[in-house]
Amino acid sequence: QQPVQSPQAVILREGEDAVINCSSSKALYSVHWYRQKHGEAPVFLMILLKGGEQKGHEKISASFNEKKQQSSLYLTASQLSYSGTYFCGTEGTGRRALTFGSGTRLQVQP
Amino acid sequence: EPEVTQTPSHQVTQMGQEVILRCVPISNHLYFYWYRQILGQKVEFLVSFYNNEISEKSEIFDDQFSVERPDGSNFTLKIRSTKLEDSAMYFCASSRQANQPQHFGDGTRLSIL
């Protein structure tokens, strides 16, 4: 069963913050976050393993709430280059394949 | 930085024909994957491959599909008798170990006429 992402789309001005959520009804082992620009391959951003850790990559960070089976991606002080579709991919216990959400389309405007 | 490479970048094939998509995973990676993405939709898992055998496959990966690692570097996806609904972008990915980042190639756009 695919994870549910919210919101489906968001428009930001440069410098604004955004949060993208990813939730699953199944027990998760890990959550992977990817950004995909139009016509390009998904680019890996970060992976969070169960344990509730939080990770950061420049101005993009993420958290994983194991109890809620939910992960959130935080984009702070957004830049034009952040525009694209963000996908979460979840790994269930005992599985290696990623099940992707439907994506969140992020558009950063000047 | 090492990357996953896929060929061809675009394949146009008549319905019913066989097609082979090729991938060269990152050299020290042990897990290989095929995903597909129909235009405008989410990425869907097809199959994972480890230790020269399929470790997992989805419902999409039916008898028309097969994967092979013919040598030490290539990883191929074969579709035996293509259908119109096979038109999609096919991505190959690899990871060093399980539960580690999966790195995607640039994809092969498959168009079935």
Side-chain angles (χ1 to χ4, degrees):
Chain A
Q1 193 169 4
Q2 74 174 65
V4 177
Q5 283 188 238
S6 62
Q8 289 184 319
V10 59
I11 299 175
L12 298 174
R13 293 285 183 193
E14 229 177 333
E16 292 181 338
D17 302 339
V19 179
I20 300 171
N21 298 305
C22 173
S23 62
S24 173
S25 59
K26 291 191 170 183
L28 298 178
Y29 185 84
S30 67
V31 180
H32 302 223
W33 284 97
Y34 289 81
R35 176 172 59 214
Q36 184 179 33
K37 293 186 183 281
H38 184 69
E40 299 180 9
V43 174
F44 171 77
L45 294 176
M46 63 189 73
I47 181 174
L48 298 105
L49 303 179
K50 70 175 183 178
E53 67 178 294
Q54 184 156 350
K55 279 196 162 183
H57 176 69
E58 297 180 345
K59 294 178 182 176
I60 300 175
S61 62
S63 63
F64 180 22
N65 186 320
E66 189 181 341
K67 286 183 180 177
K68 292 184 178 180
Q69 301 303 321
Q70 180 177 317
S71 178
S72 296
L73 185 72
Y74 307 94
L75 301 111
T76 57
S78 58
Q79 306 167 13
L80 294 176
S81 61
Y82 286 5
S83 293
T85 301
Y86 289 77
F87 290 100
C88 68
T90 57
E91 261 183 315
T93 305
R95 296 194 71 217
R96 298 293 172 257
L98 291 178
T99 303
F100 284 91
S102 297
T104 296
R105 187 170 300 180
L106 179 79
Q107 184 182 352
V108 181
Q109 297 177 340
Chain B
E1 187 174 325
E3 56 184 25
V4 176
T5 56
Q6 291 185 242
T7 55
S9 56
H10 191 191
Q11 175 82 46
V12 182
T13 304
Q14 291 289 330
M15 186 173 61
Q17 296 294 307
E18 175 183 286
V19 65
I20 297 177
L21 309 183
R22 292 181 167 80
C23 169
V24 178
I26 295 173
S27 62
N28 63 348
H29 285 191
L30 301 178
Y31 288 80
F32 315 123
Y33 312 85
W34 282 102
Y35 293 87
R36 80 171 186 191
Q37 186 177 32
I38 295 170
L39 185 64
Q41 297 185 23
K42 67 182 176 74
V43 177
E44 298 175 292
F45 168 72
L46 292 177
V47 65
S48 61
F49 194 86
Y50 170 72
N51 201 25
N52 287 320
E53 61 182 23
I54 291 174
S55 54
E56 197 172 353
K57 59 182 180 179
S58 72
E59 294 173 351
I60 302 169
F61 194 88
D62 61 22
D63 292 343
Q64 295 298 318
F65 291 87
S66 62
V67 289
E68 197 176 39
R69 189 156 164 81
D71 53 45
S73 59
N74 290 284
F75 179 50
T76 62
L77 174 70
K78 182 193 291 186
I79 308 175
R80 270 183 262 284
S81 179
T82 50
K83 304 187 282 282
L84 293 176
E85 53 265 37
D86 292 330
S87 294
M89 182 72 89
Y90 287 79
F91 290 107
C92 173
S94 69
S95 64
R96 187 176 300 179
Q97 294 288 348
N99 306 128
Q100 288 199 356
Q102 295 183 21
H103 295 274
F104 283 68
D106 287 337
T108 292
R109 181 171 298 283
L110 179 62
S111 300
I112 307 300
L113 304 179

